[in-house]
């Protein structure tokens, strides 16, 4: 079927665009011999993991469940790497984590000391997340792990000197949707503060985290590659990147149907998709998602407010304009909906979860997963 025939609401993964992104990432990897992991928290559409496995080196995870998914769907079947970072690990889960992960990255000296024996027994690479205290994000303070008082990563002051010899690598993650000039700034801070640890003979790798918007058209890839090669050549370490967004950037849609139109000063389209339930970053970040064939309010002839079927007055996606009048039953296509969408959605108000479909390279669409009442009831008791 084509995209217009899909049931709504429905996320659609654009495989052609996904492949283009993966080709860009594989270019970086091949030219610099760095390793690139999929950060599953942004995109966990495991149907696509066999495709991703052709281009990348494995997955990273935020805890046991993502680590298991990465191991089952990419690590085990394709012989690729499984990594995990969490601010803290549960003792009851750690044996399982150590059994499936190649690298475990700790957030504190206490966590590292607690689990070091299990890592040793399993031959797991042990890393520590550092905080270079170098904020490069302007307006997204909630995404800044370098903000004062941050719990994420150890500062130089708190670096556990006595454990430095136990580490096989260091990790930092401080960027969010940023270009490589900010990486360069961050790396200078990392080297100035932690360079002496990178020089230790036991340090085999540096993981530069995610937030690298590598597949965005204005991203400076040459500068990224200079950064990677500089670290490799200066310290003789393997460099890892673990982007999430960049892998599926602009590689998905959310298809929705106009259920009703309410007039009260402005005309509001009541959609079967919701910001609160199906694209929570719209309210959390916040941002206005791109919508196919639309303009800013007032830019085109017909302006509408786009909202949903939930009871939340503020469940508003944004104001958009169109060349033609919109009618009940019309379909709208939100863009850039592969990332941080299906991994974050919820059934607040008993809203249905969108189905998941893929659009193959020839434009043919097929539904790969549908959800129903049981998925709503199944997580309640
Ligand atoms: C969120 C996160 C990533 C992925 O970030 P993107 O912005 O999606 O590229 C990678 N590593 C860690 C530790 C993260 O928290």
């Amino acid at each position: 079927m084509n995209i217009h025939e899909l049931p709504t609401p429905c996320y659609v993964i654009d495989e052609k665009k996904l492949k283009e992104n993966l080709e860009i990432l594989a270019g970086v990897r091949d030219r610099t011999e760095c390793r690139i992991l999929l950060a599953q928290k942004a995109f966990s559409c495991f149907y696509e993991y066999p495709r991703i496995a052709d281009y990348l080196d494995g997955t990273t995870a935020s805890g046991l469940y993502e680590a298991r998914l990465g191991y089952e769907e990419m690590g085990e079947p394709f012989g690729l790497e499984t990594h995990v970072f969490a601010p803290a690990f549960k003792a009851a889960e750690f044996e399982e984590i150590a059994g499936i992960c190649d690298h475990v990255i700790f957030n504190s000296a206490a966590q590292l000391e607690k689990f070091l024996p299990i890592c040793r027994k399993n031959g797991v690479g042990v890393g520590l997340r550092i905080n270079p205290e170098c904020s490069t994000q302007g307006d997204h303070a909630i995404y800044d792990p370098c903000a004062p008082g941050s719990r994420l990563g150890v500062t130089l002051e708190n670096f556990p000197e006595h454990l430095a010899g136990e580490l096989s690598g260091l990790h930092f993650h401080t960027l969010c949707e940023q270009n490589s000039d900010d990486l360069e700034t961050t790396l200078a801070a990392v080297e100035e503060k932690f360079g002496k640890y990178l020089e230790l003979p036991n340090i085999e790798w540096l993981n530069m985290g995610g937030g690298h918007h590598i597949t965005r058209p204005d991203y400076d890839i040459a500068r990224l590659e200079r950064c990677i090669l500089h670290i490799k050549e200066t310290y003789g370490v393997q460099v890892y990147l673990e982007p999430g967004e960049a892998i599926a950037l602009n590689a998905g849609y959310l298809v929705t149907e106009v259920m009703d139109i309410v007039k009260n000063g402005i005309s509001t389209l009541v959609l079967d998709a919701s910001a609160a339930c199906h694209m929570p970053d719209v309210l959390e970040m916040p941002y206005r998602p791109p919508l196919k064939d639309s303009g800013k309010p007032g830019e085109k002839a017909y302006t509408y407010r786009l909202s949903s079927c939930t009871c939340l007055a503020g469940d508003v996606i944004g104001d958009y304009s169109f060349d033609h009048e919109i009618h009940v039953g019309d379909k709208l296509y939100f863009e850039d909906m592969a990332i941080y969408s299906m991994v974050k959605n919820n059934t607040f108000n008993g809203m249905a979860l969108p189905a998941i479909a893929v659009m193959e390279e020839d434009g043919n669409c097929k539904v790969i997963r549908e959800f129903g009442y049981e998925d709503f009831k199944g997580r309640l008791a």
Side-chain angles (χ1 to χ4, degrees):
M1 62 179 100
N2 71 38
I3 192 168
H4 312 298
E5 296 166 320
L6 290 169
T8 63
C10 185
Y11 300 113
V12 187
I13 306 303
D14 183 336
E15 293 190 326
K16 183 157 169 268
K17 184 64 191 166
L18 181 64
K19 187 171 157 198
E20 286 168 17
N21 288 345
L22 290 167
E23 280 167 353
I24 291 171
L25 294 165
V28 172
R29 170 186 177 237
D30 294 346
R31 286 186 295 273
T32 63
E33 294 181 339
C34 74
R35 295 193 188 149
I36 303 186
L37 310 171
L38 163 69
Q40 295 176 94
K41 80 163 195 265
F43 183 69
S44 304
C45 184
F46 57 88
Y47 177 88
E48 299 294 351
Y49 285 14
R51 174 184 296 271
I52 295 170
D54 279 344
Y55 296 88
L56 303 186
D57 299 284
T59 60
T60 189
S62 319
L64 175 62
Y65 293 173
E66 282 186 1
R68 258 189 77 171
L69 183 68
Y71 181 72
E72 285 174 10
E73 299 293 334
M74 200 181 306
E76 164 95 308
F78 298 98
L80 296 178
E81 297 179 36
T82 305
H83 295 214
V84 67
F85 160 80
F89 293 98
K90 281 200 183 311
E93 295 180 346
F94 201 81
E95 287 278 356
E96 191 177 357
I97 285 180
I100 58 176
C101 290
D102 299 280
H103 289 186
V104 176
I105 292 149
F106 296 100
N107 191 54
S108 73
Q111 282 275 303
L112 200 166
E113 276 188 299
K114 181 171 178 180
F115 295 115
L116 193 57
I118 306 179
C119 291
R120 287 273 172 274
K121 194 180 73 190
N122 285 272
V124 170
V126 173
L128 185 63
R129 177 166 174 172
I130 54 174
N131 174 0
E133 298 176 270
C134 173
S135 290
T136 51
Q137 317 193 18
D139 38 353
H140 287 151
I142 73 161
Y143 297 104
D144 183 8
C146 294
S150 169
R151 72 182 184 291
L152 298 166
V154 297
T155 58
L156 183 58
E157 195 191 344
N158 295 323
F159 194 92
E161 201 76 37
H162 65 293
L163 295 172
E166 308 289 347
L167 297 171
S168 49
L170 295 178
H171 174 283
F172 69 86
H173 169 71
T174 66
L175 306 179
C176 178
E177 302 189 338
Q178 279 163 281
N179 211 318
S180 46
D181 51 345
D182 288 332
L183 172 64
E184 195 169 62
T185 304
T186 302
L187 270 180
V190 167
E191 287 191 79
E192 190 202 318
K193 293 187 164 143
F194 299 94
K196 59 180 183 241
Y197 300 116
L198 287 172
E199 281 166 4
L200 293 176
N202 51 294
I203 297 294
E204 295 164 6
W205 46 266
L206 175 65
N207 185 323
M208 300 187 187
H212 315 279
H213 240 188
I214 302 168
T215 49
R216 196 173 75 195
D218 70 339
Y219 188 88
D220 183 352
I221 290 179
R223 190 188 298 262
L224 168 68
E225 293 182 357
R226 286 198 301 276
C227 287
I228 295 169
L229 293 173
H230 166 71
I231 293 295
K232 273 186 65 164
E233 283 156 15
T234 309
Y235 304 100
V237 293
Q238 175 70 58
V239 170
Y240 283 88
L241 303 177
E242 43 181 38
E245 287 214 9
I247 284 152
L249 191 66
N250 292 314
Y253 314 97
L254 174 57
V255 188
T256 179
E257 184 181 334
V258 178
M259 311 290 294
D260 197 10
I261 303 175
V262 175
K263 294 197 166 74
N264 178 18
I266 184 160
S267 293
T268 297
L269 306 182
V270 176
L271 307 175
D272 61 1
S274 150
C277 298
H278 305 148
M279 37 186 147
D281 272 358
V282 165
L283 301 180
E284 214 172 276
M285 203 157 184
Y287 80 107
R288 180 178 176 277
L291 178 71
K292 192 170 178 294
D293 298 327
S294 76
K296 298 202 175 78
E299 185 180 325
K300 294 171 181 268
Y302 298 89
T303 294
Y304 298 90
R305 178 156 298 164
L306 273 54
S307 189
S308 85
C309 287
T310 70
C311 68
L312 176 68
D315 192 355
V316 169
I317 300 152
D319 293 353
Y320 296 79
S321 65
F322 302 86
D323 287 326
H324 54 86
E325 200 176 337
I326 300 293
H327 302 285
V328 170
D330 285 356
K331 289 192 178 162
L332 300 178
Y333 302 85
F334 289 102
E335 296 171 322
D336 197 18
M337 278 295 154
I339 48 177
Y340 292 106
S341 53
M342 54 192 109
V343 291
K344 285 190 99 170
N345 62 15
N346 63 76
T347 58
F348 176 54
N349 272 223
M351 289 282 286
L353 293 171
I356 300 174
V358 294
M359 181 193 278
E360 294 168 337
E361 287 184 58
D362 61 4
N364 183 51
C365 290
K366 69 175 185 214
V367 175
I368 57 170
R369 185 93 151 87
E370 282 180 288
F371 303 93
Y373 170 69
E374 292 307 329
D375 297 290
F376 164 67
K377 188 177 178 187
R379 44 197 290 284
L380 299 169

